[in-house]
Amino acid sequence: MDNTYHVPVMLAECIEGLAIKPNGTYVDVTFGGGGHSREIMKHLGDKGTLVAFDQDADAQQNMIDDSRFIFVDQNFRYLKNFARLHGVIPVDGILADLGVSSYQFDQADRGFSIRFDAELDMRMNQSGDLTAKQVVNTYEEADLHRIFGIYGEIQNAKSLARTIATARLNGSIDTIADLKNAISGLIPRGKENKYLAQVFQALRIEVNQELEALKEFLVQASEILKPGGRLVVMSYHSLEDRLVKNFIAKGKFSGELEKDIYGNDDRPLIAVSRGAVTASEDEIKQNNRARSAKLRIAVKK
């Protein structure tokens, strides 16, 4: 594997969190460069199985040639269907490393990075229909306001939406450079990179329906895990982490924890770690991407 694809964040903590049984069945729903998957395989015996999901065609270059390994080229929102198709339900552990891989950021033509000029694309699944260019050029101003406010947590989201809606009247906003030029007057001095990263995050989440997919995945993960099975999820921004935290704590994404008719907590998972696990200073020095990572581990009741 080419390590430049993606250096796995908190690899040891993820593997420890899974508490791997040699003959167990595990799912890595974000295969990417295969770093986590290869480490899981080292802990599996002859009867162990690993199922890996990835919707990005580029990830297939990193496939593992092993009879215990099954690759599914799908979004993890279809976890339950494909786990059933391959006859692996119930499973002993599920790992998700959310967000965009270093490799995807470094591929200029994918349009994920503010460092390059390219078409506004941002599709994780390159056969998907919706691109960032379509969002920027066709969404109503009110929808752009909502996306930038909620997904990008941008202070001046309303002005940003209006600026884009006005700029596209003079011609289509097709590239990263076009977008930067259109919104240059709104970018705070000295915080250019942070602001643009928030704009890009908002567009990427919308294009890939990331939060909807995460919700569907979490519900399905809790359904296909064996009692005592482990769920290990690493997220890189507060929107994702909040969904994971709430689902582990309450079995749902908002509202209060409900009780069943016997007065017991009505939730499928129990948190293993108090709060989120974060990367060590040493790891952050070696891999800056680890700085924002939050790892949450839960066990099925």
Side-chain angles (χ1 to χ4, degrees), residues 93-264:
I94 301 170
L95 170 70
D97 179 5
L98 306 172
V100 183
S101 74
S102 314
Y103 173 83
Q104 288 170 322
F105 272 124
D106 290 340
Q107 299 300 298
D109 60 338
R110 299 292 294 275
F112 285 115
S113 176
I114 60 176
R115 290 178 292 143
F116 309 111
D117 189 27
E119 283 266 312
L120 283 166
D121 190 326
M122 302 195 199
R123 290 172 299 171
M124 287 185 183
N125 176 357
Q126 289 174 285
S127 58
D129 295 328
L130 185 64
T131 65
K133 182 161 91 170
Q134 284 169 272
V135 174
V136 166
N137 287 291
T138 66
Y139 273 36
E140 296 286 337
E141 187 179 319
D143 289 324
L144 290 174
H145 177 199
R146 173 182 58 81
I147 291 163
F148 291 128
I150 296 173
Y151 298 163
E153 300 179 293
I154 293 168
Q155 297 284 319
N156 60 357
K158 192 169 188 179
S159 307
L160 176 61
R162 184 175 301 124
T163 300
I164 289 171
T166 305
R168 68 193 186 192
L169 296 173
N170 298 320
S172 183
I173 300 170
D174 295 338
T175 65
I176 291 167
D178 291 345
L179 180 59
K180 285 181 180 175
N181 290 336
I183 66 174
S184 58
L186 291 175
I187 302 173
R189 283 265 162 81
K191 294 185 179 171
E192 290 86 357
N193 284 354
K194 182 173 189 280
Y195 187 84
L196 287 169
Q198 288 173 283
V199 171
F200 274 49
Q201 173 180 297
L203 291 171
R204 196 194 77 226
I205 289 173
E206 175 64 18
V207 167
N208 298 291
Q209 293 189 300
E210 288 176 36
L211 300 184
E212 291 87 347
L214 176 57
K215 287 179 183 177
E216 290 173 30
F217 157 69
L218 289 168
V219 170
Q220 292 171 42
S222 71
E223 291 169 351
I224 73 165
L225 276 169
K226 287 179 186 171
R230 296 291 189 100
L231 175 66
V232 177
V233 184
M234 188 149 49
S235 55
Y236 296 87
H237 59 74
S238 59
L239 299 173
E240 288 175 337
D241 182 55
R242 200 175 303 136
L243 291 178
V244 177
K245 179 183 174 182
N246 284 346
F247 189 74
I248 291 172
K250 299 183 280 199
K252 54 185 187 173
F253 302 105
S254 58
E256 297 303 311
L257 174 62
E258 292 173 11
K259 307 274 186 183
D260 65 17
I261 55 171
Y262 304 107
N264 301 313

Side-chain angles (χ1 to χ4, degrees), residues 12 26 39 167 219 241 247 292-294:
Y26 293 86
E39 195 61 34
V219 170
D241 182 55
F247 189 74
S292 58
K294 287 193 172 173

Side-chain angles (χ1 to χ4, degrees), residues 246-291:
N246 284 346
F247 189 74
I248 291 172
K250 299 183 280 199
K252 54 185 187 173
F253 302 105
S254 58
E256 297 303 311
L257 174 62
E258 292 173 11
K259 307 274 186 183
D260 65 17
I261 55 171
Y262 304 107
N264 301 313
D265 290 348
D266 190 15
R267 56 177 170 170
L269 303 169
I270 303 284
V272 169
S273 52
R274 275 182 72 94
V277 178
T278 53
S280 67
E281 283 301 317
D282 282 351
E283 181 171 0
I284 291 167
K285 277 178 198 157
Q286 289 169 10
N287 183 3
N288 190 49
R289 204 166 172 272
R291 184 178 300 282

